[in-house]
Structure formats: structure tokens, C-alpha cells
């Protein structure tokens, strides 16, 4: 544990129910072995959500009754004996385990607004592909969780559901756009969840909420069944991935969520950590668009480096990448390259033929009359202003290709990179308006297409989580996941919020 400091008074109460402290893998095993009833597991998670959600506002719609009915059906079959006929362990490894999903994903019978008021009456009639895969694996969907408006901001707040509060300090943000998902996991109201990420929307919430989040290699996990979905070249940058409290659950979740594409990964391959090459970059080199990395985060990363060198006996090379200074410009250029892209103002209106006028919306917002959040309006206003010239685009697209080559030459097939998840631990509500470009620390890896795992490293001096990104080259997801398991053992992983820790705990 990086810090033994209590998270402070403004946090959710600690998780006390032992069932809520089990990994998803352990719960599935105990349910199948009849050590615990599936209904008891589901009811425990429902109780926890009801106990904390009024504090954090993470869950925005649920299917509790249907989930309990499914649990009772599973118990009936398991109690009758010989469950493998109906529930074969090979194809249903997560039998009876509850999960939650970002509200941007369709879950049959639940809303799918993505925080857009114009979509407030839309109810999903089918499941997103990853939700289907998880159901087929035996998992039970419990609820959907809050996100930022149209999933394009790193605070989860909108005019449909309101603002989500950090489980460790309700005055802090949960990140976005999968912020409600990260929050309910951190609060112990879910054991595993579904998020999506085009600029860090899995990793930033995982970082701010002190959980694990994995951005898979691009193109591996289906994005079908979420709104808004990517079009054009952006389909290469948007990824869907697992979020969870325990590192053990990342690999089985990814294996299920990837479906037929699992064969492209090496998830069955055992990783010898001592045979890997490790590198560490402490910041982006000083971009004027991003704030400086917090000293406490740099210290946490140094502790990880020390652990790898002392416990694994592997020298970690400290390196610098000059082009990382231009991460935001590179991300913007790559996101702008495709002519097929729908504008943000078109998405805001939910009507391509009649896009929202963001300047009019800003005037309405000043009088409390707009249906949109200030970040969404601001993004609409700056969409055209910040567009790079064709020549600038070409330069930064070329820079992206060169940066990718530099990483490929450095990392190779056995390389792991440590890099900050964000310049600052969870900021106060609305503070991202002053630091809108800090997401570049995560966004750069979307346009590079690399797999990245966000790993929690305990709590900092302000009682909110610390963490870092573990990066590898494409199709080496198994390596970042193995490193995540090692760092969880070394630094404790997820911290039970509200729990007063004694020195040496």
C-alpha cells in the first residue's frame, strides 16, 4: 500500500460483507460448488448499491428483479445436481456473477441515453455484443451506470442523470466517460464492469477510482451496441474493455468479451516477468497544454520501478520520448483524419440534418435553459476553432507514425512501459474545465493502438487513488495483465473506501 492514510470523512461506508470482497473468478467457483447461493450473491450486490448510490449517484437504471429471478433459476439447476448439462463450466466460467455496464451500452430493457436529453426516452431492445458474450458466459447484468454527455468529457455529469461523486471523496470527480462504472466498482457495488475508451474513458475512471481498467489492443473487442459508436478511422481508436476491482478478473473478462477475436491474443501464454524488458517515462516531456505530473504520482511510479528491480531482478530503463509532448495534437489530428466523422454538434442534436448551434446553446445555458452541459457546449464551440490545418494534420499524423515506430523499436515483443495515467489524482468537481487537455496522457495510446492496463497503487495524501499505466505493443495484452497481477500483490490494488487503515496495514 502506497499510503496508510484514512480516505477521510466524505467517502462511502466501507464494504463489510465478505461476499463483496471476493473476485469474480472466486464467486463463480463458489456458486458452482454450492458454497454460496447465486441469489445471495446477487442480493448482496443489490443491497450494496442501494446502500451507497444515494451518495455517489453511479447507477442510473437497474434490473434487480430480473437479476434475482435469473439467480434463483441458476440455484434451482445447481441444487438439482449435474449442472454441466445446462451450465458447462468451459463455456460459462462466470456463472451467476453480477456485472454492470456503462449506460452508453445497450442492455435490453434499460435506457441508452449516453447522457443526452434528446434520448431520454430511448430504451434498449437488445444487448450490446459484449453484454451478450458476458450473458452467454453465465454472468448476470445488474445495472447501467452514469457517463459524461455523449461520452466525450472526463467528468461524468449530464442533464439526464446528474453528477457522479467519487467514492473516496464526494467532492472529487470519477472521470469519464465510463465514470459511473469506475465509481460503482470502487464503492463495492459491482465486481466487474464494461467500459469503452477513445481517449482514456476506461483508464481515467479506473485511475480516479482506484480500480483496474484495460484498454485492449485495437479491433479485438466489438464496439457494437453502444452510442455514440465510432465511424470512419475512429473505429480503430475506440475500444471496449473490462473494468474490475481485482486484477485476477481482467484476463477471464477479456477472454469472454473478445469473443472469436480472442484467438488473436496470447491470453493462454504464461508470462515470465523476469524475462521482460521494462521502461519508465515519468511525464510527457513538458507539454504546455497539460499540467505537470503530481510529485506523488512520480513517487508512486518510482516505487513500482524499485519493486521491479529489487523483486524481479530486472533493470528498468528510464527513457524520454520527445514526441509525447505533442500527444494532444497527435490525438486531434488522428481523430480528424477521416471525412466520415460525424460532428459533435450533429451528435448533440441527435439529428444530423439539424446540428446544434453551440453559441446559442451557451446563451441558453447562461440562463439555465439549455439541455446540454457546459463541457459539451464548449466542445461544440471549439470543434471548428481547434481544427488543425491540412498541413498541420499531415505533420502530426506523420509524427504519430514515427512515434509508433520509436515505441516498436524500443519495446519489441518483450517490452513493458510504465507511464502516468493522468497528471493529477482525482480533481474536484468542474476542475477539468481548467485542464481540458490532460486526457492526452491516455489518449495517445488510442491512436497508437497499444494495449494498456491502468493499475491502482493505493491512496495518496489527499485520500484519493494513485495509479499508473502499463503499456505494451499490440497483441501483448497478456503481458500488461500479468504485470497488473504482480503490482496488485506488491501494492495492494483496490482500497476499500471508508476503511481506516492502521500503519503497516
Amino acid at each position: 500500500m502506497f499510503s496508510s492514510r484514512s480516505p477521510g470523512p466524505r467517502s462511502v461506508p466501507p464494504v463489510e460483507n465478505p461476499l463483496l470482497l471476493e473476485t469474480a473468478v472466486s464467486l463463480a467457483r463458489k456458486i458452482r460448488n454450492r458454497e454460496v447461493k447465486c441469489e445471495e450473491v446477487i442480493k448482496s450486490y443489490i443491497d450494496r448499491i442501494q446502500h451507497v448510490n444515494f451518495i455517489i449517484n453511479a447507477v442510473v437504471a437497474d434490473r434487480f428483479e430480473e437479476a434475482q429471478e435469473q439467480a434463483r433459476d441458476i440455484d434451482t439447476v445447481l441444487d438439482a445436481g449435474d449442472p454441466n448439462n445446462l451450465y458447462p463450466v468451459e463455456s460459462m466460467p462466470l456463472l451467476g456473477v453480477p456485472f454492470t455496464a456503462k449506460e452508453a451500452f445497450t442492455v435490453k430493457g434499460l435506457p441508452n441515453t449516453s447522457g443526452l436529453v434528446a434520448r431520454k426516452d430511448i430504451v434498449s431492445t437488445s444487448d450490446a455484443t459484449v453484454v451478450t458474450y458476458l450473458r452467454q458466459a453465465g454472468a448476470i447484468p445488474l445495472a447501467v451506470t452514469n457517463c459524461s454527455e455523449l461520452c466525450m468529457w472526463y467528468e461524468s455529469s449530464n442533464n439526464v442523470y446528474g453528477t457522479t461523486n467519487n467514492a473516496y471523496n464526494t467532492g472529487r470527480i470519477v472521470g469519464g466517460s465510463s465514470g459511473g462504472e469506475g465509481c460503482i466498482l470502487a464503492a463495492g457495488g459491482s465486481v466487474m464492469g464494461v467500459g469503452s475508451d477513445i481517449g482514456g474513458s476506461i483508464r481515467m475512471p479506473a485511475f480516479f477510482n482506484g480500480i483496474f481498467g484495460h484498454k485492449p489492443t485495437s479491433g479485438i473487442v466489438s464496439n457494437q451496441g453502444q452510442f455514440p459508436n465510432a465511424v470512419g478511422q475512429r473505429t480503430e481508436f475506440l475500444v471496449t474493455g473490462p473494468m474490475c476491482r481485482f486484477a485476477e478478473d481482467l484476463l477471464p473478462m477479456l477472454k469472454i468479451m473478445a469473443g472469436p477475436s480472442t484467438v488473436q491474443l496470447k491470453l493462454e501464454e504464461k508470462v515470465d516477468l523476469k524475462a521482460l524488458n521494462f521502461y519508465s517515462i515519468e511525464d510527457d516531456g513538458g507539454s504546455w497544454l497539460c499540467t505537470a505530473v503530481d510529485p506523488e504520482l512520480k513517487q508512486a511510479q518510482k516505487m513500482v520501478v524499485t519493486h521491479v528491480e529489487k523483486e524481479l531482478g530486472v533493470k528498468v530503463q528510464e527513457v524520454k520520448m520527445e514526441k509525447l509532448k505533442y500527444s494532444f495534437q497527435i490525438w486531434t489530428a488522428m481523430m480528424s483524419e477521416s471525412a466520415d466523422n460525424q460532428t459533435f454538434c450533429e451528435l448533440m442534436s441527435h439529428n444530423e440534418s439539424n446540428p446544434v448551434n453551440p453559441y446559442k446553446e451557451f446563451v441558453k445555458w447562461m440562463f439555465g435553459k439549455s439541455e446540454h452541459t457546459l463541457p459539451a457546449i464548449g466542445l461544440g464551440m471549439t470543434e471548428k476553432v481547434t481544427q488543425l490545418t491540412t498541413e498541420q494534420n499531415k505533420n502530426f499524423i506523420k509524427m504519430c507514425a514515427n512515434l509508433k515506430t520509436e515505441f516498436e523499436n524500443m519495446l519489441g515483443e518483450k517490452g513493458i512501459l510504465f507511464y502516468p495515467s493522468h497528471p493529477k489524482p482525482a480533481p474536484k468537481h468542474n476542475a477539468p474545465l481548467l485542464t481540458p487537455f490532460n486526457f492526452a496522457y491516455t489518449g495517445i495510446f488510442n491512436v497508437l493502438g497499444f494495449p494498456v492496463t491502468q493499475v491502482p497503487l493505493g491512496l495518496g495524501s489527499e485520500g484519493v487513488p494513485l495509479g499508473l499505466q502499463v503499456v505494451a505493443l499490440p497483441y501483448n495484452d497478456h503481458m500488461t495483465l500479468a504485470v497488473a497481477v504482480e503490482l496488485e500483490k506488491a501494492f495492494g490494488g483496490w482500497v476499500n473506501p471508508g476503511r481506516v487503515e492502521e500503519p503497516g496495514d
Side-chain angles (χ1 to χ4, degrees):
M1 191 60 56
F2 181 68
S3 171
S4 62
R5 183 191 184 280
S6 165
R10 291 190 300 162
S11 61
V12 298
V15 177
E16 305 288 358
N17 185 336
L19 281 178
L20 304 183
L21 300 173
E22 299 272 357
T23 67
V25 170
S26 174
L27 285 173
R29 182 175 60 250
K30 289 186 174 183
I31 289 169
R32 192 173 284 274
N33 293 341
R34 309 317 291 137
E35 296 173 48
V36 64
K37 295 277 191 182
C38 181
E39 187 177 7
E40 183 182 354
V41 172
I42 297 298
K43 185 64 166 61
S44 295
Y45 272 100
I46 291 172
D47 288 347
R48 178 63 180 176
I49 290 171
Q50 292 175 333
H51 187 47
V52 300
N53 201 53
F54 77 97
I55 302 171
I56 54 177
N57 189 36
V59 166
V60 295
D62 66 73
R63 55 183 304 277
F64 292 161
E65 289 184 15
E66 296 94 327
Q68 290 179 94
E69 185 177 334
Q70 286 178 263
R72 286 190 287 270
D73 290 343
I74 289 172
D75 285 332
T76 298
V77 173
L78 293 178
D79 287 341
D82 194 23
N84 269 336
N85 284 329
L86 279 177
Y87 303 135
V89 66
E90 295 80 11
S91 60
M92 304 185 79
L94 294 178
L95 183 65
V97 179
F99 73 96
T100 46
K102 178 182 184 177
E103 196 258 19
F105 288 90
T106 57
V107 177
K108 187 176 180 180
L110 296 183
N112 179 228
T113 71
S114 288
L116 191 65
V117 172
R119 289 176 60 90
K120 63 182 174 60
D121 296 323
I122 291 179
V123 175
S124 302
T125 57
S126 60
D127 289 332
T129 300
V130 288
V131 174
T132 297
Y133 287 160
L134 286 165
R135 282 197 200 244
Q136 290 172 347
I140 300 174
L142 268 188
V144 290
T145 53
N146 206 16
C147 57
S148 53
E149 184 176 356
L150 289 170
C151 302
M152 285 299 284
W153 186 242
Y154 73 93
E155 174 161 17
S156 290
S157 181
N158 58 70
N159 289 336
V160 180
Y161 303 119
T163 301
T164 302
N165 304 311
N166 196 294
Y168 296 91
N169 184 327
T170 55
R172 304 297 182 101
I173 71 168
V174 296
S177 57
S178 309
E181 197 56 40
C183 181
I184 199 61
L185 285 159
S190 182
V191 67
M192 58 182 187
V194 177
S196 58
D197 187 317
I198 199 169
S201 292
I202 287 174
R203 290 160 290 151
M204 284 188 291
F207 168 67
F208 292 141
N209 293 284
I211 62 162
F212 294 89
H214 182 67
K215 174 201 139 0
T217 296
S218 295
I220 292 294
V221 180
S222 172
N223 292 321
Q224 293 305 309
Q226 63 179 294
F227 179 86
N229 206 338
V231 295
Q233 185 166 348
R234 292 182 186 180
T235 57
E236 299 176 21
F237 310 143
L238 176 66
V239 297
T240 296
M243 303 173 71
C244 52
R245 272 184 285 144
F246 305 106
E248 177 185 35
D249 297 328
L250 285 169
L251 192 145
M253 280 191 73
L254 178 58
K255 197 181 295 186
I256 292 162
M257 293 170 71
S261 298
T262 304
V263 296
Q264 298 181 54
L265 303 179
K266 297 166 272 191
L267 300 182
E268 305 295 340
E269 187 176 301
K270 185 173 174 58
V271 178
D272 179 3
L273 296 178
K274 295 183 178 181
L276 299 180
N277 302 313
F278 289 88
Y279 304 86
S280 180
I281 300 178
E282 69 172 9
D283 58 32
D284 66 2
S287 167
W288 65 273
L289 292 171
C290 297
T291 52
V293 174
D294 189 282
E296 206 163 22
L297 290 172
K298 288 189 175 184
Q299 180 60 28
Q301 189 162 324
K302 286 178 181 176
M303 290 181 67
V304 169
V305 169
T306 299
H307 170 79
V308 169
E309 293 186 336
K310 290 182 67 174
E311 300 303 322
L312 299 181
V314 181
K315 175 66 177 174
V316 179
Q317 296 184 50
E318 302 277 353
V319 295
K320 293 184 182 297
M321 288 273 189
E322 182 67 22
K323 294 179 181 65
L324 285 172
K325 188 184 297 185
Y326 303 99
S327 291
F328 172 74
Q329 294 95 322
I330 291 170
W331 183 88
T332 301
M334 295 296 287
M335 287 284 287
S336 303
E337 189 181 13
S338 174
D340 299 327
N341 293 328
Q342 191 175 21
T343 70
F344 192 72
C345 289
E346 288 170 347
L347 286 170
M348 287 173 71
S349 71
H350 197 45
N351 181 355
E352 286 189 41
S353 62
N354 186 28
V356 160
N357 182 324
Y359 303 99
K360 288 183 178 178
E361 286 300 320
F362 180 66
V363 174
K364 289 164 65 177
W365 178 85
M366 291 176 66
F367 292 95
K369 300 294 185 182
S370 177
E371 293 183 343
H372 301 284
T373 58
L374 183 58
I377 295 168
L379 182 56
M381 291 171 69
T382 59
E383 189 171 41
K384 287 185 170 59
V385 176
T386 58
Q387 279 182 349
L388 300 169
T389 66
T390 302
E391 195 58 37
Q392 286 175 318
N393 258 355
K394 287 179 180 177
N395 289 339
F396 286 118
I397 288 168
K398 183 178 179 181
M399 188 181 291
C400 184
N402 291 338
L403 179 61
K404 186 172 185 178
T405 299
E406 287 182 28
F407 271 122
E408 288 170 345
N409 292 338
M410 180 181 79
L411 293 174
E413 287 304 305
K414 292 291 183 181
I416 288 289
L417 169 69
F418 297 132
Y419 192 64
S421 296
H422 200 76
K424 301 288 182 184
K428 294 178 180 179
H429 288 299
N430 299 314
L433 289 167
L434 303 176
T435 57
F437 308 117
N438 278 352
F439 77 91
Y441 271 79
T442 47
I444 188 63
F445 296 111
N446 291 83
V447 295
L448 291 172
F450 295 172
V452 187
T453 307
Q454 198 298 131
V455 177
L457 296 172
L459 304 182
S461 60
E462 295 185 339
V464 292
L466 308 175
L468 88 169
Q469 296 183 90
V470 179
V471 186
L473 291 187
Y475 308 105
N476 286 327
D477 301 57
H478 64 301
M479 287 165 36
T480 70
L481 299 181
V483 172
V485 170
E486 171 65 22
L487 296 183
E488 181 185 45
K489 292 175 185 173
F491 297 96
W494 168 76
V495 176
N496 195 342
R499 175 173 172 249
V500 177
E501 299 169 352
E502 298 300 330
D505 200 14

